[in-house]
Amino acid sequence: MEKEDLKILNKGEEEEMELQGYRLCRWRIALVLLGVVCSGGFLLLLLYWMPEWCVKSTCTRTTARDAEVVLLRSTDEFRRWFRARVRVMLAPGSNPFHSLETQTTSQSSPPPPPSSAHFFPFTTSPTLANGHTSHSSDGISNQELLKRYSDYQPTQIRYFTFHSTKYYWDDKAQNFEVLTGLEDLQISCSTLHSAHTAGLTRNEQEYRRLFFGVNEIAVKVPSVFKLLIKEVLNPFYIFQLFSVILWCTDEYYYYAGAIVFMSVISIATSLYTIKKQYTMLHDMVAAHSIVRVSVCRADNVIEEIMSTDLVPGDMMVIPSNGTIMTCDAVLVSGTCIVNESMLTGESVPVTKTNLPNPGPGDRRDQAESAYSTEEHKRHTLFCGTNVIQTRYYTDELVKAVVVRTGYSTAKGQLVRSILYPKPTDFKLYRDAYLFLLCLVFVAGIGFIYCIVLSVLHEVPVETIVIESLDIITITVPPALPAAMTAGIVYAQRRLKNIGIFCISPQRINICGQINLVCFDKTGTLTEDGLDMWGVQRAENGRFHLSEEDTCKDSLVKSQFVACMATCHSLTKIEGELSGDPLDLKMFEATGWILEEATEEETALHNQIMPTVVRPPKQLLPPEPALSSEEDMELYELSSRYEIGIVRQFPFSSALQRMSVVARRLGEKRMDAYMKGAPEVVASLCKGETVPENFSKVLEDYTKQGFRVIAVAHRRLESKLTWHKVQNINRSNIETNMEFLGLIVMQNKLKAETPGVLQDLRKANIRTVMVTGDNMLTAISVARDCGMIPSQDTVIIADALPPRDGQAAKITWRYADKPSKLSHLEEVNISLEDVCDVDKSKTQERYYHFAMNGKSFAVISEHFPDMLQKLVLHGTVFARMAPDQKTQLIEALQGVDYFVGMCGDGANDCGALKRAHGGISLSELEASVASPFTSRNPNISCVPSLIREGRAALITSFCVFKFMALYSIIQYISVTLLYSIFSNLGDFQFLFIDIAIILVVVFTMSLNPAWKELVPRRPPSGLISGPLLFSVLTQILICLGFQSLTFILVKQEDWYTVWKPYTDVCNTSSQNNISGHNETKEDDHNIQNFENTSLFYVSSFQYLIVAIVFSKGKPFRQPSYKNWPFMASVLSLYFFLLFIMLYPVQSIDNFLEIVCVPFHWRRTLVLIIIVNAAVSFVVETFILDIVLWKLVFSRDKQGSFGVTPAAPTPQRGIDLQENKCLSWLNYPRSMPKARYMHLAQELSVDPDWPPKPTTTTEAKPHPDSTYEIMIHS
């Protein structure tokens, strides 16, 4: 039954989960309660930490339909468990979109027909789904609404809430489903216009609110008490509580008090930070979240209600002075100018037009295409975005139909992603838990040792329990979490000082592992703004010579300039032209003037007043002298040259074009103008109007790195009236165009770009360009900035989808000599196009793949295995849609790259979130789209972030190693002392933990990052050769010297069992401590020679390993530049030497150490010096110089065939390494990363890289999904 009843929620989505149903079992609950009582509450804590244990121990399996509790498990790599309680709601109906008003409440009336929809909810309680009460505008409560339909049998609806989303049981699907809004109906655009633009009645609105709840993104700020309980129930603090109780029973009050003080400070700091984050998020979301809005009722009455009352299907009126959207809504009439910076991070006004309403004459697929917020985002107003202004009709205001509310909106999804983030997947954190388990295992050995030893010597049971448990508390360091966080906090502060803001501090460590960075092109590698270079007009199928200036008399009335002046999305905001920077540059180049109608002018007309553009008077031809005033007026009326923009089809990244319909003053027929990607525009033009050398001219421009835009024009039929144009589909306009020519714009590289890319290349960090621009332009920019060295080969992969019964195929060609064909055909390039096919394999390895978005989509679908090979050397990805950028990041991560992404925040939000380290160059500091935001608008922030990440990562390793050694050193001391039934004193523990450990650990994290990136990367986890070797050797060294001290002290002639009256210092030193006879008997046997000797040696060992582990170059600045650390360590050295060589009675009494002969102190100094020398030699010479380079250096790209774009000094190191390994007869191990495996396979594959004479077809075979066919 388990397999059959395992349900999958959100299948195929990011939040996909497995669901199992359970029913509460009384006898199991009783047993668990008994276990909780017997375990003193520990079992309850265990069940709190382990949700799956809690459910399985208190419930029995049942079907999902009958479940009282559901157990959820994520299907991602983390496989996290969650539990949720299933609740039951009552509702007068089962379909939120079904009108109950059509039914009668008479008892004799038949029951309503079963709903065709399979969804469901509703509650008899005035408390709604998201926990808020109804703010009904007409005062009708939910109870009253239910009473109206009390004659009908109420429907029981089962649901549960998880991560602010409600899941309802669907009988038809036999699964729990999410109810989001109008999109659930999968209605077509035409149906949305015809069936959902009348508005809702008050009763319909109230009824739907039973289903969808209050339209509010509620971020509840937890009370301090709740946060405190949640924080205190952390396993670490529970362990600390256990430790403190144990220490108090053993009378270690001062140490226990110090640990409690540290824990209180840590908890208070954590609570303050969490509370502050919740408050900031609440304030961000709450701003403008509740406003008054106008809605149209079904009886054409406009009513003001609270925005919290909105439900999907409501018809909103968008005010003319703008508003902040509180829901997702689709425009059905009018136009809006919207600032979407909250969603995209880019503060550029966007024009939103009304949703097309396909008529009966339109193509069937257009009329029946389902509305989608993603596909129709140019017509959708998203929650949280700012509507700056609207343009509307007199009789018909700007209206929008509410599509989604609450957490289902775009803003709601963003807030959910912040409230419930995915855990950071990083090997360091996984290894940290494994390392702690190892420490627990070591503690277990000590625990057993202590029990056996105590039993053999007939120690009282109480003492055995306390001392054996004390071993466990010593092994797990109490300050570990705070110590691990310190390095990240310091790195975050340093990043802030250089203008990089971080909202996800845990990602700083991950940035230290980045070995590939993707860059957007425009605004990131190149200047944000484009400069007009010139134009190249075309007439009668031929190009004119290029022209620099379009602002001249001869061109003022040309269709080319008219297209430049009208085909844009510019608008005036507070008298200033605003919009896309490219449109702005293009319009300014014409010298024309843009005028928009005022609200008063619009109110005088029955239709929307168009935006008007006209040239300045000085560009128009001179007016002839006329005699009469009447003739002058008639001439001025006829000679005014103005063009009104009647309708605009906004730019679509999917279509790669935009168009407008315009009418010249005095003309009856309208004109259509289009601009966009040259290849796309040319394909929509009449063949005879496109010059024969179009491909060559375009190629010449793109090779030089210019941004090229094509323009086209079409004279529309006279039967197309203004009203018809408002409802026509854009595909009917954008066809049979006449090609007008090319607009050439220059996109200059930013000054910092080449230098930064060179630094990354020297550090063996791959760089990839991901852009929406033209392929050849992108390749040209990649060569100019050094991403692709001039001597390297670029292979373009052109993929074609299956068609006419033929399989999908990829054809290969070189970018330097592309095909001269103007249409997409199979490209066969002769051997002469290949530069010396017989070149060596080493030279052949310097190649780069380039592809466009269409090819990427085909390869992803039909050649999944090939995609992994292509991304291994893919450098340029052009014409990529926003979702394709995200898919590329995932593909790179799929082959185990640590991927960084740097973009300007406009179309890169998904990729920035998905990457291991996404950094936005947006000016908005609080961008929710990216973990990192740079105040400096250039890519120099990338190496800075990686350097700080490496420094923070090495700091984390150093701190963890130091804390592990601190525990083991103390563990060794205590274990040795247990053998003589002694222990460290309370103030000795206090001095070690507070004066030495805390001071050292919080100052050793202050080392700044190294000034440059090096080819070597730090290890990604603790369970690695170098780190394990380092920790284990230092443990053995410390164990050896402590054991040596413990043995030698007993061999001394003066040694005796210490008693309060013992005095061995008289014959050895002038520093005689008197008054020993007055000392009370030591019940715990703290004061003895073994304790004193081990205390001195172990105290120095903490400082020795701190210095040895505090690594500098090549990832951090040297420790001697970290003056707080050096001052702390030197001060502690001098203090310990002073009290050891020149005892002070008050200090000795405080630390419970005894006087030993002076020559034994000199022996201890010698032991400490030898210990320091051995530790330094092993760590610095043997590990860093010998073993690291010869054995542990496995993680280099060059070592496994993944060559960088150009030779680097690292290749020389790798060759020397190979020789050394060969000389030592040391076999090279297989690489762990998947991209290294692929590189090894491809390095011996004779058919890779594909030659330009081959075509790869997707033909299924038993062993592969494609085959390579060679064409002669």
Side-chain angles (χ1 to χ4, degrees), residues 180-252:
T180 56
L182 279 186
E183 284 181 291
D184 294 330
L185 296 176
Q186 297 185 344
I187 52 174
S188 65
C189 297
S190 56
T191 305
L192 195 149
H193 273 280
S194 60
H196 294 273
T197 53
L200 303 176
T201 65
R202 294 182 185 179
N203 287 343
E204 284 175 332
Q205 187 189 57
E206 290 289 340
Y207 174 57
R208 289 192 184 185
R209 193 154 61 250
L210 291 175
F211 291 74
F212 296 101
V214 170
N215 175 35
E216 186 179 6
I217 303 170
V219 179
K220 294 182 180 178
V221 181
S223 65
V224 175
F225 179 74
K226 282 186 177 179
L227 288 175
L228 178 64
I229 294 299
K230 190 174 181 180
E231 186 74 13
V232 167
L233 291 182
N234 183 295
F236 179 77
Y237 289 119
I238 296 298
F239 177 76
Q240 278 198 335
L241 178 63
F242 164 75
S243 302
V244 167
I245 294 172
L246 182 68
W247 292 328
C248 289
T249 58
D250 204 20
E251 299 179 6
Y252 289 165

Side-chain angles (χ1 to χ4, degrees), residues 88 195 198 250 346 384 686 700 878 913 940 994 997 1017 1098 1178:
V88 178
D250 204 20
E346 190 68 17
K686 298 175 184 175
D700 290 341
K913 284 183 181 180
S940 61
I994 306 299
I997 303 305
R1017 282 190 300 141
S1098 64
V1178 169

Side-chain angles (χ1 to χ4, degrees), residues 1055-1067:
Y1055 175 80
T1056 182
V1057 177
W1058 189 89
K1059 299 293 181 185
Y1061 51 79
T1062 304
D1063 185 4
V1064 296
C1065 294
N1066 263 336
T1067 58

Side-chain angles (χ1 to χ4, degrees), residues 219-222 274-282 419:
V219 179
K220 294 182 180 178
V221 181
I274 296 172
K275 181 84 173 178
K276 184 179 178 183
Q277 288 175 346
Y278 268 109
T279 304
M280 288 175 62
L281 184 60
H282 174 270
L419 283 174

Side-chain angles (χ1 to χ4, degrees), residues 361-395:
D362 291 317
R363 292 207 313 256
R364 186 171 179 179
D365 60 336
Q366 294 173 0
E368 295 182 357
S369 62
Y371 167 77
S372 163
T373 52
E374 183 60 34
E375 286 186 27
H376 300 92
K377 61 184 176 182
R378 283 291 182 178
H379 315 292
T380 304
L381 304 173
F382 293 103
C383 179
T385 58
N386 183 12
V387 178
I388 302 171
Q389 66 181 35
T390 63
R391 304 180 64 202
Y392 59 95
Y393 311 89
T394 304
D395 338 349

